[in-house]
Amino acid sequence: MEVLKIATAGSVDDGKSTLIGRILYDTKSLTSDKLEAIEKTSKQKGYDYLDFSLATDGLVAEREQGITIDVAHIYFSTQTKSYIIADTPGHVEYTRNMVTGASTSQAAIILIDARKGVIEQTNRHFFINNLLRVKEVIVAINKMDLVDFSEDIYNKIKADFEILMQKRDYQDQNITFIPVSALKGDNVVHKSKNTPWYKGQTLLEHFELLDTEDVYNVGTPRFPVQYVIRPKTEEFHDFRGYAGKVYGGELSVGDEVVALPSQTKSKIKEIYLYDQSYQTASRRSSVTITLEDDINVSRGDMLVKVDDLPTIDKQFTATISWMDSQNLVTGNKYVLQHGVNKVLAKVDVIHHKIHPDYSGIEEHISALGMNDIASVTFKLNKSIFFDPFKNHRTNGSFILIDSQSNNTVGAGFIQ
Amino acid sequence: MTKDTSKVNPLENEAIYIIREVAAQFEKPVLLFSGGKDSITLVRLAQKAFYPAKIPFPLMHIDTGHNFPETIAFRDRLVKELGLELIVRNVQDSIDEGKVKEESGRYSSRNSLQTTTLLDAIEEFKFDACIGGARRDEEKARAKERIFSVRDDFGQWDEKNQRPELFDMLNGQIHLGQNVRVFPISNWTELDVWSYIEREHIEIPSIYFAHTRETFLRDGLIWSSDDEVVYRDENEVVEERLVRFRTVGDMSCTAAVLSDAADIASVVQEIRESTISERGARIDDKRSEAAMEKRKQQGYF
Ligand SMILES: Nc1nc2c(ncn2[C@@H]2O[C@H](COP(=O)(O)OP(=O)(O)O)[C@@H](O)[C@H]2O)c(=O)[nH]1
Ligand SMILES: [Mg+2]
């Protein structure tokens, strides 16, 4: 079955959790015991409606404060697809969670409160989904019930958003507008009688018709070696397989490949998945590859096609999203994890901070704080093999790890 | 030779990738094996990840002593057939050593006592990564869990301060004494697991299929009557029923469901149509809304 991962974005109280709860309810994905729990708690809180956000806010602190603090993953499926929706927190200080949610999603729902329209936060949500090159964006104009399902208000918000869209640099993004009421269920799963002027699809219809292959950004095939398989049994005495996941494009038996960094050439001999052998390894499949020649390849190395080399360099500039409470300062050193490869990286130059609301850049910066986004040049102790993020979502991204705390402190997108 | 791999389950690709990362990033990983369907699925995924080599880490079972005998028999057979290494640590030993105290009375269970035995075993073997079969759809505190979830020296989960996980990249760097709980099937639903078991013809213990069993009713749930292990009032009458188990934990905390699903196809069909969640049949979660979150903070699976 196809799997579609969707991230939600919106300010606090725009209705993200309610929308997800509504989708679960209308697709009959809430089991009776979960529904009972929601009914019970809604009643205890004195509500005269069902508070669907209770279906997703899983931590005690979240239920007490009535807000989403950490990303939750919600699952449901229809006849055609399995869906994974990330319910992300909406506070300004939680930008890092949004970047995280968007990084693993192929689609995003940006919620706008119809009473408030496009606000500064909306700019941020759009900016991040654009920065991370999320292919499908739904702009759900929510709480339409509170504005009498007014077509004028919907059109005004849409027009405001379209102005914002002119500022994006990822033009291939598909953007769709839908007027909804998460609380009442209009245009979420079922078509609304209250919006006769809206001729488009409901939120779920839209996702149902998406081809999941299309929402993955295509690039050239990259095969980072995760693990070398050497059984050393009698039956497989000389077997030497390279285990990993194929990104960007496909690889086939007979393809001429180069192993990086050694630049040794060989040909793909076999492609295995468990005990089956295949002619072609498709995008995103976890396989084991053997080569015609006995060359030296280890974890962190990469197999690529001979005529399709990535950039091999010890220095690059990237847009980074800083996620730690300790500042990033010029000269600082971090462990840089690029896929399954790890090197040491030094912050060479912080060029400028980028305001994630499209309000411009800020130069002469010496430090980055939590939730800052900036353009930074790094110097590495060893070369890595990368593509620009705009050409390759996987091979153009990395994370930064603080070697003292071991925490993941930042994410980067190579320019 | 089959043409291409595009029809392979995307969830399977993800799980295999995660399991390989564990083998590559850690010194002493272990697969926590309960004998339930999720951990049996993990074993198959691990086999796939390293074929034609053997799984490069052992399995470990924290045995409460209250398991269904069918599960234990199944466990031993699986390990033997696949030539795997199995470590067993017993909750009974932790009780005998006075480290934990057995609960008594109507809702008594050894389920939460497992945590101490588990943490001791992690320390004993210096395991730095424990692979588990938890899924985010099981329970809402689990929905918040990372794929690589760091536990401190006391095995505790700091749910409000978790590492961000971006793209496919898994950060397994830890300090000495810490360990990582790894959940390769985080993104699978109960139905995904059952469909996979069906498609892959994976063997599972017989108690997952309909059988007649001596049972009694309590709080609307059906309990296996085994007076050694499961507390029962005099007025709780034992009756024979046609049942199966949807989830397999301890006898004292896992309720059966009425079912005539005798083979895997009918089980998959039953799950598809089911209106109650898997954990609805587990009394350990019903204790309070925050039950799972609390147990996880203390180091539970
Ligand atoms: N009237 C109305 N209220 C809504 C709608 N969607 C959400 N709400 C309410 O807005 C509040 C915040 O919703 P919640 O889902 O927690 O927002 P989140 O912070 O984005 O997750 C709750 O009181 C909801 O009941 C809607 O479509 N119409
Ligand atoms: Mg929320």
Side-chain angles (χ1 to χ4, degrees):
Chain A
M1 189 115 103
E2 297 181 88
V3 177
L4 186 67
K5 294 189 184 174
I6 305 168
T8 54
S11 307
V12 185
D13 284 352
D14 280 351
K16 295 176 296 298
S17 302
T18 308
L19 181 72
I20 293 172
R22 165 57 69 181
I23 296 173
L24 295 179
Y25 183 71
D26 282 355
T27 54
K28 307 209 165 30
S29 311
L30 281 175
T31 52
S32 59
D33 52 322
K34 283 185 185 160
L35 198 56
E36 267 167 37
I38 292 173
E39 281 166 355
K40 194 174 122 204
T41 315
S42 295
K43 217 185 231 160
Q44 274 171 3
K45 291 193 166 180
Y47 299 157
D48 55 359
Y49 55 89
L50 294 182
D51 183 358
F52 292 120
S53 66
L54 296 168
T56 66
D57 290 338
L59 300 175
V60 176
E62 292 180 324
R63 286 193 298 273
E64 278 170 7
Q65 300 170 35
I67 56 164
T68 311
I69 295 173
D70 187 18
V71 182
H73 298 87
I74 315 296
Y75 300 81
F76 73 98
S77 52
T78 60
Q79 292 296 331
T80 63
K81 281 189 190 72
S82 290
Y83 292 91
I84 305 175
I85 306 192
D87 184 15
T88 51
H91 294 78
V92 192
E93 64 266 34
Y94 290 137
T95 304
R96 67 170 213 172
N97 280 326
M98 257 175 45
V99 172
T100 307
S103 77
T104 49
S105 303
Q106 299 94 46
I109 304 172
I110 297 180
L111 272 98
I112 296 179
D113 186 329
R115 296 170 304 176
K116 297 182 189 152
V118 174
I119 55 173
E120 193 209 319
Q121 278 276 58
T122 316
N123 295 23
R124 286 172 195 273
H125 300 142
F126 183 59
F127 179 92
I128 287 167
N129 279 297
N130 219 260
L131 175 69
L132 276 103
R133 304 182 85 78
V134 177
K135 188 74 180 281
E136 280 292 326
V137 170
I138 304 292
V139 181
I141 299 168
N142 189 31
K143 307 199 184 182
M144 288 299 292
D145 56 306
L146 297 179
V147 296
D148 292 333
F149 296 96
S150 155
E151 185 180 7
D152 287 347
I153 290 179
Y154 169 80
N155 282 334
K156 166 83 170 63
I157 295 172
K158 188 168 170 235
D160 287 347
F161 199 94
E162 279 162 350
I163 295 172
L164 192 60
M165 278 160 58
Q166 291 164 7
K167 300 181 184 165
R168 70 185 157 150
D169 55 31
Y170 175 38
Q171 291 289 341
D172 287 343
Q173 197 169 44
N174 302 323
I175 298 172
T176 310
F177 297 87
I178 307 179
V180 301
S181 167
L183 193 67
K184 306 283 163 68
D186 300 78
N187 295 326
V188 178
V189 171
H190 305 299
K191 271 224 161 62
S192 169
K193 291 196 182 66
N194 298 314
T195 53
W197 43 267
Y198 173 71
K199 304 287 179 240
Q201 295 161 332
T202 68
L203 191 70
L204 187 68
E205 279 167 357
H206 182 85
F207 289 131
E208 285 286 275
L209 292 171
L210 275 185
D211 182 347
T212 43
E213 278 306 303
D214 285 349
V215 296
Y216 283 96
N217 306 48
V218 187
T220 43
R222 302 289 180 232
F223 188 76
V225 175
Q226 262 190 292
Y227 193 83
V228 181
I229 294 179
R230 302 219 54 187
K232 295 181 185 149
T233 55
E234 228 167 90
E235 194 188 349
F236 294 96
H237 194 265
D238 294 321
F239 187 96
R240 191 184 172 91
Y242 304 110
K245 204 168 162 186
V246 190
Y247 295 98
E250 54 184 42
L251 289 171
S252 296
V253 170
D255 282 352
E256 280 193 67
V257 292
V258 186
L260 301 174
S262 72
Q263 306 250 21
T264 330
K265 285 186 188 165
S266 187
K267 261 190 193 165
I268 295 183
K269 185 176 166 195
E270 298 151 309
I271 295 170
Y272 279 101
L273 203 170
Y274 197 26
D275 52 1
Q276 298 277 318
S277 74
Y278 291 83
Q279 180 63 34
T280 298
S282 316
R283 282 193 284 160
R284 305 193 313 282
S285 55
S286 284
V287 295
T288 300
I289 287 177
T290 63
L291 299 177
E292 293 283 358
D293 309 281
D294 207 2
I295 63 177
N296 192 7
V297 179
S298 47
R299 174 174 165 87
D301 292 359
M302 186 182 281
L303 299 179
V304 299
K305 286 202 193 177
V306 280
D307 46 6
D308 241 339
L309 296 188
T311 308
I312 304 169
D313 207 341
K314 287 172 85 162
Q315 176 172 329
F316 60 76
T317 301
T319 305
I320 72 162
S321 160
W322 191 246
M323 305 181 160
D324 201 45
S325 52
Q326 289 213 18
N327 288 352
L328 172 140
V329 183
T330 312
N332 276 8
K333 291 194 185 105
Y334 299 97
V335 174
L336 185 145
Q337 184 173 345
H338 173 240
V340 300
N341 194 13
K342 276 185 188 170
V343 294
L344 287 178
K346 188 169 144 192
V347 178
D348 192 32
V349 188
I350 304 175
H351 300 284
H352 52 257
K353 227 151 80 170
I354 304 166
H355 294 162
D357 54 2
Y358 293 104
S359 67
I361 61 168
E362 199 176 318
E363 290 178 294
H364 313 294
I365 297 292
S366 56
L368 299 181
M370 171 91 96
N371 293 311
D372 279 346
I373 290 176
S375 175
V376 174
T377 296
F378 290 94
K379 280 195 167 147
L380 315 179
N381 70 331
K382 274 195 290 186
S383 290
I384 60 166
F385 342 110
F386 60 89
D387 295 288
F389 186 69
K390 68 174 165 39
N391 296 344
H392 212 294
R393 233 182 147 199
T394 317
N395 203 38
S397 53
F398 60 86
I399 56 173
L400 295 167
I401 300 169
D402 183 313
S403 47
Q404 231 85 71
S405 69
N406 287 330
N407 282 335
T408 303
V409 289
F413 319 103
I414 303 173
Q415 290 171 8
Chain B
M1 197 188 303
T2 328
K3 221 181 121 292
D4 67 47
T5 58
S6 63
K7 288 284 167 282
V8 177
N9 185 342
L11 295 171
E12 179 182 60
N13 282 323
E14 181 180 78
I16 290 175
Y17 170 84
I18 295 164
I19 293 170
R20 286 170 169 170
E21 278 306 283
V22 176
Q25 291 197 34
F26 296 92
E27 302 264 321
K28 278 214 83 178
V30 67
L31 191 154
L32 300 178
F33 186 81
S34 70
K37 64 175 192 316
D38 296 319
S39 57
I40 294 168
T41 299
L42 279 182
V43 171
R44 170 59 59 88
L45 289 164
Q47 274 182 284
K48 288 198 175 197
F50 303 107
Y51 179 89
K54 274 197 180 158
I55 300 174
F57 39 75
L59 313 189
M60 179 164 75
H61 185 209
I62 302 301
D63 191 341
T64 57
H66 288 181
N67 289 284
F68 292 94
E70 294 90 335
T71 313
I72 301 297
F74 179 91
R75 173 195 81 187
D76 293 339
R77 194 156 48 83
L78 182 83
V79 164
K80 203 163 152 231
E81 274 173 18
L82 301 183
L84 304 171
E85 186 194 334
L86 173 74
I87 297 165
V88 180
R89 283 295 173 270
N90 298 298
V91 172
Q92 186 63 52
D93 293 339
S94 305
I95 295 171
D96 294 344
E97 288 160 24
K99 286 181 171 159
V100 290
K101 208 167 152 270
E102 181 115 62
E103 302 177 348
S104 59
R106 200 169 157 86
Y107 291 103
S108 62
S109 153
R110 283 184 169 182
N111 191 51
S112 64
L113 307 186
Q114 291 177 84
T115 303
T116 302
T117 317
L118 171 68
L119 296 184
D120 285 351
I122 290 172
E123 201 162 306
E124 176 188 349
F125 292 97
K126 305 264 178 289
F127 288 129
D128 52 1
C130 303
I131 304 173
R135 292 177 285 109
R136 287 173 179 158
D137 87 319
E138 276 179 87
E139 205 280 331
K140 54 188 185 242
R142 283 202 159 149
K144 303 277 175 178
E145 184 77 79
R146 298 294 186 267
I147 288 175
F148 271 20
S149 185
V150 182
R151 301 301 153 99
D152 65 15
D153 300 32
F154 303 97
Q156 298 195 330
W157 182 48
D158 184 0
E159 79 287 359
K160 289 191 212 76
N161 197 12
Q162 301 193 72
R163 288 180 186 174
E165 284 183 338
L166 292 115
F167 300 98
D168 264 4
M169 283 175 275
L170 296 167
N171 171 8
Q173 280 192 209
I174 48 171
H175 294 294
L176 203 67
Q178 288 183 325
N179 66 78
V180 172
R181 301 288 171 84
V182 181
F183 305 108
I185 58 168
S186 279
N187 287 326
W188 298 40
T189 62
E190 186 187 14
L191 184 59
D192 289 327
V193 173
W194 282 112
S195 308
Y196 189 73
I197 289 170
E198 181 180 27
R199 202 192 73 194
E200 296 284 318
H201 308 290
I202 300 174
E203 257 192 84
I204 49 172
S206 54
I207 51 172
Y208 281 114
F209 301 110
H211 57 281
T212 48
R213 179 175 285 266
E214 303 267 287
T215 55
F216 67 93
L217 288 178
R218 175 192 299 158
D219 305 334
L221 298 175
I222 304 165
W223 300 93
S224 198
S225 76
D226 180 327
D227 291 348
E228 296 270 297
V229 172
V230 190
Y231 176 92
R232 185 167 61 83
D233 282 347
E234 284 160 32
N235 54 357
E236 291 172 323
V237 215
V238 176
E239 231 180 89
E240 218 172 59
R241 291 184 175 85
L242 185 62
V243 297
R244 62 175 212 91
F245 291 89
R246 238 176 113 173
T247 160
V248 170
D250 268 12
M251 279 196 264
S252 56
C253 69
T254 320
V257 290
L258 287 176
S259 167
D260 58 3
D263 57 26
I264 184 71
S266 353
V267 168
V268 170
Q269 188 59 25
E270 190 186 285
I271 302 291
R272 243 181 241 290
E273 290 162 2
S274 155
T275 60
I276 176 163
S277 75
E278 179 178 358
R279 289 214 157 245
R282 295 204 43 164
I283 200 70
D284 42 337
D285 292 337
K286 290 217 159 163
R287 286 182 175 189
S288 89
E289 240 214 307
M292 175 64 88
E293 186 180 339
K294 251 186 240 152
R295 271 180 294 142
K296 285 183 78 70
Q297 284 166 351
Q298 288 155 4
Y300 187 70
F301 300 101

